[in-house]
Amino acid sequence: MEQTYDLTQGNIKRQLIYLSIPLLIGSIFQQFYNTIDSIIVGTYVGHDAFAAIGISGTVMNLFIFIIIGCCTGVSIITAQLYGEKNYDKMRNEIFLSSILGIAVTIIISILGILFMPIILNIIQTPVELTGYVTQYMNVILGGLITTFLYNFLSSILRSVGNTRMSLIFLVISIFLNVILDLLLIKQFSMGIMGAALATVISQAVSALLCYFYIIYKIPFLKVKKIDMKYNSGLIRLTCQYSFVSALHQSSLYIGKLLVQGAVNSLGVDAISAYTATGRIEDVILAFGNSGSEATSIFIAQNTGAKNQKRVLEGFKDALVLIQLVCIGLILFIFFRSDILLNFFSFDEGKTVLNYGVQYFKIISFFYIISLVGSIFVGFYRGTGHVNIPVIGTTLQISIRVILSYLLVKFMGIGGVALATGIGWI
């Protein structure tokens, strides 16, 4: 198995698929952290706890995707330096960005815990769910450093074209997460707090696996004392790319957080339905996210190698591939979303199922807009134009939030689906 993958030469379509498949599987498995928590908590703790996991997931993603955005910004820089074959500067970047990332994560953890009551109040969290959500989020935020370390190290692996190993480590941690969920929730009756603790421990294990793999298998990435030096240019570039990428990711989830407030006004059944549709939709949008990241890695390496022709060819091929994927997804979700929703229906399954089917009947035809847009995001990131996706995301989120609050009064959860689709357009 290759430890690194030079994308500046070879068959473009094959390389994009080679990169995308592990990223897609990894993205889907990443969703399983919260999804598994949802299913196990819903089964062994109850309906209210399941709804609380849905709210927690939305809040948690706000913090996690700030971190993922920062790591994405770093991966663009390291991929360009790898394509440039400037390994000394690449190790210096790894050192500087790791220090900056750890500091930012600690600040986010502290602020998140302090302001959690205010956040839950803003999104109109029902009183009966507030205790559950607070317990879960305090543990998640306390262990947020493990999330950063995994995403940072796996982004370094991806920037050198190695998308397989971070997937393998993630799969290992997923199985560990399931075992710990059952142990802590079912055997030790720790409830929703046990689900959060299982997630933190699993993330820590995957981070350690990434670290040791890099140290022993990709020695040219190992940071030495000579690489631990101040570089104002790299720090500015890292801050710029990371801040803008984090703004892009977080603005998306701030919007989702605000939309959650509109859904919360419909009651616990609607919250459960939106939780279920959200878990399924995360998997659907993973196709776009993995395509976006694969495109970004490919284009960043070729931008570093100054191969503009190959950059444009890769972008065109990525657009063709994502549209082919879209056709099958749209047909399945429109006609048979009930099959997937049944996995998330508990005590009041019929009501939750009806809400969920209504949501998917409306939004399914909009997925092609979202997934094609993801490829454009990958292109702009890979070429270093990280500010452009932020503009598009800010616009779509603003439309999505405003229309959600307007339409939910007349269409219920279907109004949220229509608002989301219009925002994507």
Side-chain angles (χ1 to χ4, degrees), residues 24-60:
L24 173 61
I25 297 171
S27 185
I28 292 171
F29 270 102
Q30 187 78 45
Q31 307 304 328
F32 285 179
Y33 274 119
N34 207 19
T35 300
I36 290 170
D37 289 346
S38 300
I39 294 172
I40 295 177
V41 168
T43 302
Y44 294 107
V45 184
H47 184 62
D48 283 357
F50 174 74
I53 284 284
I55 296 173
S56 300
T58 305
V59 177
M60 179 176 69

mmCIF file of all heavy atoms in Angstrom, residues 24-60:
data_model
loop_
_atom_site.group_PDB
_atom_site.id
_atom_site.type_symbol
_atom_site.label_atom_id
_atom_site.label_comp_id
_atom_site.label_asym_id
_atom_site.label_seq_id
_atom_site.Cartn_x
_atom_site.Cartn_y
_atom_site.Cartn_z
ATOM 1 N N LEU A 24 -15.503 9.119 1.043
ATOM 2 C CA LEU A 24 -16.944 8.916 1.156
ATOM 3 C C LEU A 24 -17.260 7.941 2.285
ATOM 4 O O LEU A 24 -18.104 8.219 3.146
ATOM 5 C CB LEU A 24 -17.500 8.388 -0.167
ATOM 6 C CG LEU A 24 -18.972 7.960 -0.145
ATOM 7 C CD1 LEU A 24 -19.866 9.138 0.201
ATOM 8 C CD2 LEU A 24 -19.373 7.336 -1.474
ATOM 9 N N ILE A 25 -16.588 6.806 2.273
ATOM 10 C CA ILE A 25 -16.822 5.807 3.325
ATOM 11 C C ILE A 25 -16.486 6.399 4.695
ATOM 12 O O ILE A 25 -17.217 6.224 5.674
ATOM 13 C CB ILE A 25 -15.982 4.538 3.065
ATOM 14 C CG1 ILE A 25 -16.411 3.887 1.744
ATOM 15 C CG2 ILE A 25 -16.136 3.538 4.213
ATOM 16 C CD1 ILE A 25 -15.504 2.755 1.294
ATOM 17 N N GLY A 26 -15.367 7.145 4.749
ATOM 18 C CA GLY A 26 -14.974 7.777 6.005
ATOM 19 C C GLY A 26 -15.986 8.804 6.473
ATOM 20 O O GLY A 26 -16.307 8.891 7.661
ATOM 21 N N SER A 27 -16.516 9.583 5.515
ATOM 22 C CA SER A 27 -17.513 10.600 5.863
ATOM 23 C C SER A 27 -18.785 9.956 6.387
ATOM 24 O O SER A 27 -19.393 10.432 7.357
ATOM 25 C CB SER A 27 -17.822 11.456 4.628
ATOM 26 O OG SER A 27 -18.693 12.507 4.953
ATOM 27 N N ILE A 28 -19.198 8.853 5.753
ATOM 28 C CA ILE A 28 -20.383 8.140 6.208
ATOM 29 C C ILE A 28 -20.147 7.540 7.597
ATOM 30 O O ILE A 28 -20.994 7.656 8.492
ATOM 31 C CB ILE A 28 -20.766 7.032 5.201
ATOM 32 C CG1 ILE A 28 -21.255 7.670 3.893
ATOM 33 C CG2 ILE A 28 -21.837 6.116 5.782
ATOM 34 C CD1 ILE A 28 -21.460 6.689 2.767
ATOM 35 N N PHE A 29 -18.981 6.934 7.792
ATOM 36 C CA PHE A 29 -18.668 6.368 9.103
ATOM 37 C C PHE A 29 -18.571 7.462 10.163
ATOM 38 O O PHE A 29 -18.921 7.242 11.321
ATOM 39 C CB PHE A 29 -17.361 5.575 9.045
ATOM 40 C CG PHE A 29 -17.546 4.123 8.705
ATOM 41 C CD1 PHE A 29 -17.290 3.653 7.439
ATOM 42 C CD2 PHE A 29 -17.990 3.227 9.666
ATOM 43 C CE1 PHE A 29 -17.467 2.319 7.117
ATOM 44 C CE2 PHE A 29 -18.169 1.890 9.364
ATOM 45 C CZ PHE A 29 -17.917 1.425 8.083
ATOM 46 N N GLN A 30 -18.088 8.638 9.753
ATOM 47 C CA GLN A 30 -17.995 9.758 10.691
ATOM 48 C C GLN A 30 -19.383 10.106 11.232
ATOM 49 O O GLN A 30 -19.537 10.461 12.404
ATOM 50 C CB GLN A 30 -17.381 10.974 9.994
ATOM 51 C CG GLN A 30 -17.079 12.148 10.915
ATOM 52 C CD GLN A 30 -15.804 11.940 11.720
ATOM 53 O OE1 GLN A 30 -14.796 11.509 11.184
ATOM 54 N NE2 GLN A 30 -15.856 12.260 12.995
ATOM 55 N N GLN A 31 -20.392 10.018 10.348
ATOM 56 C CA GLN A 31 -21.757 10.286 10.785
ATOM 57 C C GLN A 31 -22.215 9.263 11.828
ATOM 58 O O GLN A 31 -23.089 9.552 12.643
ATOM 59 C CB GLN A 31 -22.712 10.240 9.592
ATOM 60 C CG GLN A 31 -22.344 11.114 8.406
ATOM 61 C CD GLN A 31 -22.166 12.565 8.763
ATOM 62 O OE1 GLN A 31 -22.827 13.062 9.674
ATOM 63 N NE2 GLN A 31 -21.265 13.238 8.070
ATOM 64 N N PHE A 32 -21.619 8.074 11.788
ATOM 65 C CA PHE A 32 -22.055 7.013 12.677
ATOM 66 C C PHE A 32 -21.788 7.321 14.146
ATOM 67 O O PHE A 32 -22.449 6.756 15.019
ATOM 68 C CB PHE A 32 -21.379 5.685 12.314
ATOM 69 C CG PHE A 32 -21.923 5.036 11.075
ATOM 70 C CD1 PHE A 32 -21.396 3.852 10.607
ATOM 71 C CD2 PHE A 32 -22.975 5.614 10.390
ATOM 72 C CE1 PHE A 32 -21.903 3.250 9.465
ATOM 73 C CE2 PHE A 32 -23.488 5.029 9.245
ATOM 74 C CZ PHE A 32 -22.954 3.841 8.784
ATOM 75 N N TYR A 33 -20.817 8.184 14.422
ATOM 76 C CA TYR A 33 -20.564 8.535 15.825
ATOM 77 C C TYR A 33 -21.861 9.007 16.488
ATOM 78 O O TYR A 33 -22.299 8.482 17.511
ATOM 79 C CB TYR A 33 -19.514 9.644 15.921
ATOM 80 C CG TYR A 33 -18.094 9.142 15.924
ATOM 81 C CD1 TYR A 33 -17.218 9.516 14.921
ATOM 82 C CD2 TYR A 33 -17.632 8.307 16.929
ATOM 83 C CE1 TYR A 33 -15.913 9.062 14.905
ATOM 84 C CE2 TYR A 33 -16.329 7.847 16.928
ATOM 85 C CZ TYR A 33 -15.475 8.229 15.914
ATOM 86 O OH TYR A 33 -14.181 7.782 15.901
ATOM 87 N N ASN A 34 -22.471 10.006 15.878
ATOM 88 C CA ASN A 34 -23.687 10.557 16.475
ATOM 89 C C ASN A 34 -24.901 9.690 16.179
ATOM 90 O O ASN A 34 -25.822 9.590 16.994
ATOM 91 C CB ASN A 34 -23.924 11.981 15.978
ATOM 92 C CG ASN A 34 -24.707 12.821 16.969
ATOM 93 O OD1 ASN A 34 -24.782 12.486 18.146
ATOM 94 N ND2 ASN A 34 -25.303 13.893 16.508
ATOM 95 N N THR A 35 -24.921 9.042 14.993
ATOM 96 C CA THR A 35 -26.050 8.198 14.634
ATOM 97 C C THR A 35 -26.166 7.000 15.572
ATOM 98 O O THR A 35 -27.257 6.658 16.036
ATOM 99 C CB THR A 35 -25.922 7.709 13.180
ATOM 100 O OG1 THR A 35 -25.877 8.845 12.311
ATOM 101 C CG2 THR A 35 -27.087 6.829 12.798
ATOM 102 N N ILE A 36 -25.030 6.354 15.837
ATOM 103 C CA ILE A 36 -25.040 5.207 16.745
ATOM 104 C C ILE A 36 -25.485 5.653 18.140
ATOM 105 O O ILE A 36 -26.273 4.968 18.801
ATOM 106 C CB ILE A 36 -23.651 4.541 16.784
ATOM 107 C CG1 ILE A 36 -23.373 3.849 15.443
ATOM 108 C CG2 ILE A 36 -23.558 3.526 17.925
ATOM 109 C CD1 ILE A 36 -21.951 3.362 15.283
ATOM 110 N N ASP A 37 -24.971 6.800 18.568
ATOM 111 C CA ASP A 37 -25.428 7.347 19.850
ATOM 112 C C ASP A 37 -26.948 7.508 19.841
ATOM 113 O O ASP A 37 -27.634 7.174 20.807
ATOM 114 C CB ASP A 37 -24.782 8.713 20.104
ATOM 115 C CG ASP A 37 -23.305 8.602 20.429
ATOM 116 O OD1 ASP A 37 -22.851 7.486 20.718
ATOM 117 O OD2 ASP A 37 -22.611 9.628 20.360
ATOM 118 N N SER A 38 -27.487 8.049 18.724
ATOM 119 C CA SER A 38 -28.926 8.298 18.620
ATOM 120 C C SER A 38 -29.723 7.014 18.757
ATOM 121 O O SER A 38 -30.694 6.944 19.525
ATOM 122 C CB SER A 38 -29.248 8.958 17.268
ATOM 123 O OG SER A 38 -28.575 10.176 17.120
ATOM 124 N N ILE A 39 -29.327 5.991 17.996
ATOM 125 C CA ILE A 39 -30.073 4.736 17.990
ATOM 126 C C ILE A 39 -30.007 4.048 19.354
ATOM 127 O O ILE A 39 -31.029 3.615 19.895
ATOM 128 C CB ILE A 39 -29.551 3.803 16.888
ATOM 129 C CG1 ILE A 39 -29.852 4.404 15.505
ATOM 130 C CG2 ILE A 39 -30.186 2.419 17.003
ATOM 131 C CD1 ILE A 39 -29.210 3.659 14.362
ATOM 132 N N ILE A 40 -28.810 3.958 19.912
ATOM 133 C CA ILE A 40 -28.653 3.269 21.197
ATOM 134 C C ILE A 40 -29.324 4.048 22.327
ATOM 135 O O ILE A 40 -30.009 3.462 23.173
ATOM 136 C CB ILE A 40 -27.161 3.019 21.496
ATOM 137 C CG1 ILE A 40 -26.577 2.040 20.469
ATOM 138 C CG2 ILE A 40 -26.977 2.463 22.907
ATOM 139 C CD1 ILE A 40 -25.097 1.777 20.610
ATOM 140 N N VAL A 41 -29.160 5.358 22.317
ATOM 141 C CA VAL A 41 -29.813 6.180 23.348
ATOM 142 C C VAL A 41 -31.327 6.094 23.203
ATOM 143 O O VAL A 41 -32.057 5.960 24.193
ATOM 144 C CB VAL A 41 -29.345 7.649 23.249
ATOM 145 C CG1 VAL A 41 -30.234 8.551 24.103
ATOM 146 C CG2 VAL A 41 -27.901 7.772 23.721
ATOM 147 N N GLY A 42 -31.827 6.179 21.964
ATOM 148 C CA GLY A 42 -33.264 6.074 21.746
ATOM 149 C C GLY A 42 -33.826 4.746 22.220
ATOM 150 O O GLY A 42 -34.935 4.669 22.753
ATOM 151 N N THR A 43 -33.058 3.673 22.054
ATOM 152 C CA THR A 43 -33.498 2.333 22.436
ATOM 153 C C THR A 43 -33.447 2.120 23.943
ATOM 154 O O THR A 43 -34.397 1.592 24.542
ATOM 155 C CB THR A 43 -32.629 1.265 21.743
ATOM 156 O OG1 THR A 43 -32.717 1.444 20.326
ATOM 157 C CG2 THR A 43 -33.106 -0.134 22.107
ATOM 158 N N TYR A 44 -32.356 2.539 24.595
ATOM 159 C CA TYR A 44 -32.141 2.199 26.001
ATOM 160 C C TYR A 44 -32.453 3.332 26.983
ATOM 161 O O TYR A 44 -32.575 3.080 28.178
ATOM 162 C CB TYR A 44 -30.696 1.736 26.208
ATOM 163 C CG TYR A 44 -30.394 0.432 25.508
ATOM 164 C CD1 TYR A 44 -29.603 0.405 24.371
ATOM 165 C CD2 TYR A 44 -30.925 -0.770 25.968
ATOM 166 C CE1 TYR A 44 -29.322 -0.781 23.707
ATOM 167 C CE2 TYR A 44 -30.666 -1.964 25.317
ATOM 168 C CZ TYR A 44 -29.863 -1.963 24.183
ATOM 169 O OH TYR A 44 -29.617 -3.138 23.526
ATOM 170 N N VAL A 45 -32.552 4.571 26.489
ATOM 171 C CA VAL A 45 -32.828 5.692 27.402
ATOM 172 C C VAL A 45 -34.235 6.245 27.175
ATOM 173 O O VAL A 45 -34.971 6.493 28.124
ATOM 174 C CB VAL A 45 -31.781 6.816 27.262
ATOM 175 C CG1 VAL A 45 -32.045 7.917 28.289
ATOM 176 C CG2 VAL A 45 -30.368 6.263 27.435
ATOM 177 N N GLY A 46 -34.633 6.437 25.887
ATOM 178 C CA GLY A 46 -35.995 6.895 25.642
ATOM 179 C C GLY A 46 -36.128 7.920 24.535
ATOM 180 O O GLY A 46 -35.147 8.395 23.954
ATOM 181 N N HIS A 47 -37.379 8.259 24.245
ATOM 182 C CA HIS A 47 -37.731 9.162 23.146
ATOM 183 C C HIS A 47 -37.172 10.564 23.355
ATOM 184 O O HIS A 47 -36.644 11.190 22.435
ATOM 185 C CB HIS A 47 -39.264 9.205 23.019
ATOM 186 C CG HIS A 47 -39.762 10.025 21.877
ATOM 187 N ND1 HIS A 47 -39.478 9.735 20.562
ATOM 188 C CD2 HIS A 47 -40.537 11.139 21.850
ATOM 189 C CE1 HIS A 47 -40.068 10.617 19.770
ATOM 190 N NE2 HIS A 47 -40.712 11.481 20.539
ATOM 191 N N ASP A 48 -37.297 11.095 24.572
ATOM 192 C CA ASP A 48 -36.793 12.444 24.860
ATOM 193 C C ASP A 48 -35.277 12.509 24.698
ATOM 194 O O ASP A 48 -34.740 13.488 24.182
ATOM 195 C CB ASP A 48 -37.177 12.866 26.285
ATOM 196 C CG ASP A 48 -38.639 13.292 26.390
ATOM 197 O OD1 ASP A 48 -39.323 13.311 25.338
ATOM 198 O OD2 ASP A 48 -39.092 13.590 27.506
ATOM 199 N N ALA A 49 -34.596 11.469 25.153
ATOM 200 C CA ALA A 49 -33.141 11.434 25.035
ATOM 201 C C ALA A 49 -32.721 11.386 23.567
ATOM 202 O O ALA A 49 -31.728 12.000 23.168
ATOM 203 C CB ALA A 49 -32.573 10.228 25.777
ATOM 204 N N PHE A 50 -33.498 10.662 22.731
ATOM 205 C CA PHE A 50 -33.208 10.613 21.293
ATOM 206 C C PHE A 50 -33.340 12.001 20.677
ATOM 207 O O PHE A 50 -32.492 12.433 19.893
ATOM 208 C CB PHE A 50 -34.167 9.636 20.606
ATOM 209 C CG PHE A 50 -34.038 9.633 19.106
ATOM 210 C CD1 PHE A 50 -32.954 9.030 18.488
ATOM 211 C CD2 PHE A 50 -34.996 10.245 18.312
ATOM 212 C CE1 PHE A 50 -32.823 9.034 17.106
ATOM 213 C CE2 PHE A 50 -34.885 10.254 16.936
ATOM 214 C CZ PHE A 50 -33.789 9.638 16.333
ATOM 215 N N ALA A 51 -34.413 12.714 21.030
ATOM 216 C CA ALA A 51 -34.598 14.071 20.522
ATOM 217 C C ALA A 51 -33.463 14.983 20.993
ATOM 218 O O ALA A 51 -32.986 15.844 20.245
ATOM 219 C CB ALA A 51 -35.949 14.622 20.987
ATOM 220 N N ALA A 52 -33.019 14.780 22.233
ATOM 221 C CA ALA A 52 -31.925 15.584 22.780
ATOM 222 C C ALA A 52 -30.627 15.347 22.020
ATOM 223 O O ALA A 52 -29.839 16.276 21.805
ATOM 224 C CB ALA A 52 -31.727 15.267 24.263
ATOM 225 N N ILE A 53 -30.402 14.099 21.590
ATOM 226 C CA ILE A 53 -29.217 13.790 20.788
ATOM 227 C C ILE A 53 -29.262 14.559 19.466
ATOM 228 O O ILE A 53 -28.239 15.025 18.959
ATOM 229 C CB ILE A 53 -29.122 12.270 20.516
ATOM 230 C CG1 ILE A 53 -28.647 11.530 21.760
ATOM 231 C CG2 ILE A 53 -28.171 11.969 19.366
ATOM 232 C CD1 ILE A 53 -27.174 11.666 22.057
ATOM 233 N N GLY A 54 -30.459 14.720 18.907
ATOM 234 C CA GLY A 54 -30.601 15.478 17.668
ATOM 235 C C GLY A 54 -30.190 16.925 17.842
ATOM 236 O O GLY A 54 -29.443 17.484 17.029
ATOM 237 N N ILE A 55 -30.663 17.538 18.920
ATOM 238 C CA ILE A 55 -30.279 18.925 19.200
ATOM 239 C C ILE A 55 -28.790 19.000 19.501
ATOM 240 O O ILE A 55 -28.085 19.889 19.012
ATOM 241 C CB ILE A 55 -31.098 19.474 20.385
ATOM 242 C CG1 ILE A 55 -32.589 19.524 20.022
ATOM 243 C CG2 ILE A 55 -30.608 20.870 20.782
ATOM 244 C CD1 ILE A 55 -33.503 19.900 21.172
ATOM 245 N N SER A 56 -28.284 18.055 20.288
ATOM 246 C CA SER A 56 -26.859 18.029 20.627
ATOM 247 C C SER A 56 -26.002 17.910 19.374
ATOM 248 O O SER A 56 -24.959 18.553 19.255
ATOM 249 C CB SER A 56 -26.550 16.853 21.563
ATOM 250 O OG SER A 56 -27.272 16.951 22.759
ATOM 251 N N GLY A 57 -26.456 17.071 18.433
ATOM 252 C CA GLY A 57 -25.696 16.889 17.197
ATOM 253 C C GLY A 57 -25.566 18.174 16.419
ATOM 254 O O GLY A 57 -24.501 18.479 15.879
ATOM 255 N N THR A 58 -26.650 18.944 16.370
ATOM 256 C CA THR A 58 -26.607 20.216 15.652
ATOM 257 C C THR A 58 -25.670 21.197 16.333
ATOM 258 O O THR A 58 -24.873 21.874 15.681
ATOM 259 C CB THR A 58 -28.027 20.821 15.560
ATOM 260 O OG1 THR A 58 -28.899 19.869 14.969
ATOM 261 C CG2 THR A 58 -28.019 22.076 14.713
ATOM 262 N N VAL A 59 -25.759 21.285 17.663
ATOM 263 C CA VAL A 59 -24.880 22.185 18.410
ATOM 264 C C VAL A 59 -23.426 21.718 18.317
ATOM 265 O O VAL A 59 -22.508 22.504 18.077
ATOM 266 C CB VAL A 59 -25.316 22.268 19.893
ATOM 267 C CG1 VAL A 59 -24.363 23.153 20.681
ATOM 268 C CG2 VAL A 59 -26.741 22.794 20.004
ATOM 269 N N MET A 60 -23.219 20.405 18.484
ATOM 270 C CA MET A 60 -21.878 19.835 18.461
ATOM 271 C C MET A 60 -21.201 20.084 17.113
ATOM 272 O O MET A 60 -20.016 20.427 17.049
ATOM 273 C CB MET A 60 -21.963 18.333 18.734
ATOM 274 C CG MET A 60 -20.624 17.601 18.724
ATOM 275 S SD MET A 60 -20.816 15.860 19.172
ATOM 276 C CE MET A 60 -21.685 15.246 17.720
#
